[in-house]
Amino acid sequence: MEILEAWAPQSLAESWDNPGLLVGDADREVKRVLVALDVRDSVIEEAILCRADWIITHHPMLFSPLKKITTDSPNGRRVLRLAQAGISHYAMHTNLDTAFGGTNDTLAALANLQEVSVLCPTCQQDGQPNGLGRIGFLPEPMALGEFADMLRQKVGLRHISIVGSREKQVRRVALCTGSGMDFLEEAANQGADVYLSGDIRFHEAQKAQDLGVALVDVTHYASEVLIVPVIARYLREKTALDVVESHVDGQVFDVI
């Protein structure tokens, strides 16, 4: 836990968030870790099959307090299943979105952005301003359609949604992984040509049109599952743990 929080301190998390050790014993020895985006039933079974002691995820399994832990609720069943299997669950959520090298920096690197800076500075990390979102420049201007198709391939989507003319030339790119439309106006204020995020709704898309900012919906899942190999690589570099990356496809949306 100390090694993980050296990268993404819990102090960086949003006030409503619930990162950290959510199920398990902090004093129990850890030998094998499974890294995933979410704790779903299939991920728990995967952890049991690979004999993992810990599941580390981006999304916390628990947000709201549980009044009872029974098999009547999905999360109740999951907590009991983890306890029965002796598996702990640790989450790195908005603290990892904010942390340098976390989800937002990972997406910025995948989009080939240069001169990257923090979109919404709200705190300090290692003496530097930090916060949610990133903004930077493409090496050269690109047509929105070409840029979106490049992203579609890189994040592994069969289809991708855009708002704006496919021919529009974009170079200044802002982004926030997951659900980041709260920062659309800030992206516009900083001169972004296009904003990348997930969970984009109809009226938010209309607002982007009014602001003159194109949108690319990289989906909540695809924009954040990118962090799984990054967490795994960090643990392999910093520890002697056996680290396994989840093979569960947690994308819940499909296009037919």
Side-chain angles (χ1 to χ4, degrees):
M1 290 168 60
E2 290 177 357
I3 290 169
L4 291 171
E5 291 182 23
W7 174 21
Q10 291 191 40
S11 60
L12 297 180
E14 297 293 294
S15 59
W16 50 263
D17 201 6
N18 192 34
L21 183 66
L22 303 183
V23 178
D25 180 356
D27 293 324
R28 184 166 181 254
E29 184 179 37
V30 182
K31 294 181 179 179
R32 179 171 295 163
V33 171
L34 177 71
V35 183
L37 186 67
D38 297 280
V39 176
R40 305 295 292 173
D41 295 333
S42 53
V43 171
I44 294 174
E45 294 309 312
E46 186 180 35
I48 292 170
L49 285 173
C50 76
R51 299 181 180 179
D53 307 297
W54 261 38
I55 299 174
I56 297 177
T57 64
H58 180 48
H59 292 143
M61 182 178 70
L62 305 174
F63 272 110
S64 302
L66 294 178
K67 294 185 177 180
K68 58 181 181 178
I69 301 174
T70 70
T71 57
D72 294 336
S73 68
N75 277 341
R77 290 195 298 271
R78 289 172 188 138
V79 169
L80 289 171
R81 188 72 174 118
L82 289 172
Q84 289 165 354
I87 298 172
S88 300
H89 166 42
Y90 184 92
M92 307 167 70
H93 193 211
T94 53
N95 50 323
L96 189 56
D97 292 326
T98 296
F100 294 121
T103 56
N104 283 288
D105 284 324
T106 298
L107 182 59
L110 182 136
N112 297 328
L113 299 192
Q114 302 174 347
E115 301 178 44
V116 176
S117 59
V118 177
L119 180 63
C120 299
T122 56
C123 58
Q124 291 279 322
Q125 185 181 10
D126 300 329
Q128 301 180 61
N130 203 349
L132 293 172
R134 298 293 187 262
I135 188 165
F137 294 91
L138 292 169
E140 299 290 339
M142 295 178 68
L144 175 63
E146 181 185 359
F147 178 57
D149 190 57
M150 177 194 75
L151 287 171
R152 178 191 64 78
Q153 296 178 57
K154 286 192 172 185
V155 301
L157 293 171
R158 289 198 293 131
H159 302 275
I160 198 163
S161 299
I162 66 171
V163 175
S165 169
R166 296 185 183 189
E167 288 72 39
K168 177 180 177 177
Q169 294 292 300
V170 298
R171 189 174 187 198
R172 188 151 173 80
V173 179
L175 61 89
C176 184
T177 58
S179 299
M181 291 306 289
D182 288 346
F183 309 125
L184 173 62
E185 284 193 33
E186 184 60 33
N189 291 340
Q190 295 191 37
D193 302 309
V194 58
Y195 186 60
L196 317 180
S197 195
D199 298 338
I200 298 172
R201 297 179 295 181
F202 177 72
H203 291 296
E204 293 169 335
Q206 287 183 321
K207 184 176 181 179
Q209 287 181 321
D210 292 341
L211 293 170
V213 179
L215 299 177
V216 179
D217 191 334
V218 288
T219 78
H220 195 130
Y221 177 81
S223 69
E224 294 189 327
V225 74
L226 304 169
I227 201 62
V228 169
V230 179
I231 296 172
R233 183 168 61 248
Y234 176 82
L235 287 171
R236 291 182 185 120
E237 291 173 353
K238 300 293 184 179
T239 73
L241 293 171
D242 184 6
V243 183
V244 180
E245 297 173 36
S246 175
H247 291 94
V248 171
D249 183 355
Q251 177 67 277
V252 294
F253 294 101
D254 198 1
V255 180
I256 61 173

